[in-house]
Amino acid sequence: MASVLTLNRDIASGLEKIYIVWGNDGFLIKYAVNTVKSESVENEEWDLTVFDGGEISISEVIANCSYPSMTGRIKTVICYYPEIKTVSREGEIFKEYLKNPNPDVVLILVMQKLPENFISMEKYAHIVECNHLDKITIAEKFIPLFKDKFGCRIDS
């Protein structure tokens, strides 16, 4: 499972086809979604589709992923807070898409909590954790990342 703190570095080595962004920090979730969007979307009007998971089924989201972009570029589909019932026909459609995603689509699923059975999906999707940063996380991950990226040191 990846941290939102390393997302830029991860994307630099290439965009994945599926991102599962989850956590309880709205700012970090927005940052993660915008980071992926900035690399995958050239024209928001034509290359981006956004869904509210409470208003659409995951099978309809997956069906939308089968349509190509109107411009011939990468299409990005974002679904906020989808309801995915993994033990139903809809769940089977979702699992099948994970194994064989459309190569011309980047799918971003935003969730508050990562279901336990999603952890095994890491081989199919880039899972990004966006929970509040505690002092240990800041000390162990953020400060070294800041030094690597900007060449500066943060003193406490």
Side-chain angles (χ1 to χ4, degrees), residues 47-106:
D47 300 330
L48 177 66
T49 306
V50 180
F51 295 109
D52 178 350
E55 297 177 5
I56 190 167
S57 70
I58 194 66
S59 57
E60 291 173 291
V61 173
I62 299 301
N64 186 276
C65 290
S66 67
Y67 302 123
S69 166
M70 299 276 250
T71 60
R73 293 187 289 256
I74 292 175
K75 175 181 171 181
T76 301
V77 177
I78 303 171
C79 185
Y80 288 93
Y81 310 107
E83 293 180 24
I84 304 172
K85 299 174 183 109
T86 55
V87 292
S88 66
R89 174 69 184 133
E90 190 171 89
E92 292 303 316
I93 291 169
F94 175 65
K95 289 175 188 173
E96 193 57 40
Y97 186 80
L98 281 175
K99 294 175 185 172
N100 190 21
N102 183 340
D104 299 322
V105 173
V106 172

Side-chain angles (χ1 to χ4, degrees), residues 20 22 84 86 111-120:
I20 299 173
W22 73 278
I84 304 172
T86 55
M111 310 177 97
Q112 277 189 321
K113 187 173 183 204
L114 188 67
E116 286 183 28
N117 59 348
F118 272 43
I119 295 169
S120 65

Side-chain angles (χ1 to χ4, degrees), residues 1 3 5-6 129 136-146:
M1 187 171 336
S3 167
L5 298 175
T6 60
E129 182 180 356
I136 295 170
T137 304
I138 291 171
E140 291 178 356
K141 295 182 180 176
F142 185 69
I143 292 173
L145 186 67
F146 191 84

